[in-house]
Amino acid sequence: MEEATGQLIADNWRRIVERVAAAVQSAGRDPNEVSIVAVTKYVGVPESAALLAAGATLLGESRPQQLWEKCEAEQLTDARWHLIGHLQRNKVARTVECAELIHSVDSPRLLKAINSAAEQTGKNCHVLLEVNTSGEAEKHGLTPDALSSLLDQLNDYPQAEVRGLMTMASRSGGQSQARKNFAVLRELRDSLASEELPLSELSMGMTGDFEAGIAEGATLVRIGSALFEGLEL
Ligand SMILES: *Cc1c(COP(=O)(O)O)cnc(C)c1O
């Protein structure tokens, strides 16, 4: 990787940090409440390492295999990995070893598999439950009703610790439609959270709509393309 590429990535990272800070401020929220997951799925190990060097700490991958590969890369040993994309049950075991947080749990069967894998490793696995807030058929995610019944069964999965909820906004409709989808997630959280299960993390917002996510209470925004603007991918 050329030095200019590293510089470009560092500049992009700084610009995103500033935009996130501005969105947090205009929402009147505490800056410590919102973290950026730098999504590295578009790039290789050197570019991902450039993000760490620029100050990113949480890195996200959407495909399990890419997560495993990067998780073993020597240049990336300081990264804290998040899986943000769809996970199949046959890929759970290795993912649980790499990922600090799995954002995309969308079925009871997957939660069960994660719980079993966590039992094997002897430590709890942190997860978010993905909710389909847009109603789009091609989207992964639990319906609000399925979410609420899964939350009633969590005692069956003691080592899969549910920390909160995740959603993807509707593909059309821009920020204003995204904001409506994100409001649905926040309202679901507010109605389903309890003292034992605060569901404090809300993962919502990407390059095109993270300001809307932050306005609606996101604690994690998943930003990819804006970090690699100007690069030939
Ligand atoms: C790729 C991806 C992102 C990042 O999207 P950008 O628009 O590139 O910022 C966020 N979340 C998920 C689930 C993704 O797959």
Side-chain angles (χ1 to χ4, degrees):
M1 188 187 72
E2 290 178 27
E3 205 178 305
T5 305
Q7 193 56 53
L8 194 69
I9 291 171
D11 289 344
N12 286 343
W13 170 255
R14 205 166 11 106
R15 211 167 304 129
I16 282 298
V17 168
E18 283 166 12
R19 282 178 61 193
V20 165
V24 166
Q25 193 179 23
S26 56
R29 298 184 53 205
D30 177 346
N32 296 318
E33 277 175 24
V34 184
S35 303
I36 303 170
V37 179
V39 177
T40 53
K41 67 185 180 191
Y42 309 106
V43 297
V45 169
E47 294 83 4
S48 307
L51 272 172
L52 289 180
T57 54
L58 307 178
L59 301 190
E61 281 289 330
S62 63
R63 291 177 189 274
Q65 284 101 327
Q66 285 180 310
L67 176 85
W68 306 339
E69 281 168 27
K70 286 191 180 157
C71 173
E72 283 170 8
E74 226 166 280
Q75 280 180 278
L76 300 176
T77 44
D78 292 338
R80 294 161 56 193
W81 288 102
H82 287 199
L83 182 78
I84 60 171
H86 189 59
L87 178 59
Q88 292 155 307
R89 280 177 300 154
N90 61 354
K91 298 191 178 131
V92 161
R94 278 189 77 178
T95 300
V96 163
E97 286 172 21
C98 291
E100 175 178 296
L101 183 68
I102 298 172
H103 289 227
S104 43
V105 175
D106 58 1
S107 72
R109 294 192 316 170
L110 179 58
L111 193 65
K112 181 166 192 259
I114 291 172
N115 183 65
S116 309
E119 280 172 355
Q120 303 279 320
T121 67
K123 63 179 180 42
N124 288 1
C125 179
H126 293 177
V127 305
L128 306 179
L129 300 179
E130 180 172 358
V131 184
N132 183 341
T133 53
S134 67
E136 289 174 342
E138 74 277 10
K139 286 240 157 62
H140 292 292
L142 298 153
T143 63
D145 283 345
L147 169 68
S148 136
S149 63
L150 182 53
L151 290 177
D152 288 336
Q153 302 163 34
L154 292 187
N155 288 340
D156 297 342
Y157 314 115
Q159 292 198 237
E161 256 184 59
V162 175
R163 312 299 295 233
L165 307 177
M166 180 271 221
T167 199
M168 310 258 292
S170 177
R171 257 195 293 181
S172 53
Q175 292 245 6
S176 66
Q177 181 56 46
R179 186 154 176 175
K180 287 183 194 149
N181 298 144
F182 297 154
V184 168
L185 196 71
R186 179 178 47 76
E187 285 158 14
L188 270 173
R189 191 276 305 278
D190 293 347
S191 70
L192 295 168
S194 61
E195 213 164 295
E196 318 80 88
L197 191 71
L199 299 172
S200 37
E201 304 288 348
L202 290 179
S203 169
M204 50 191 198
M206 332 199 303
T207 291
D209 54 23
F210 69 84
E211 277 103 348
I214 290 169
E216 289 299 336
T219 61
L220 293 164
V221 288
R222 309 178 307 270
I223 299 180
S225 16
L227 300 174
F228 307 108
E229 250 168 44
L231 247 71
E232 305 227 354
L233 297 178

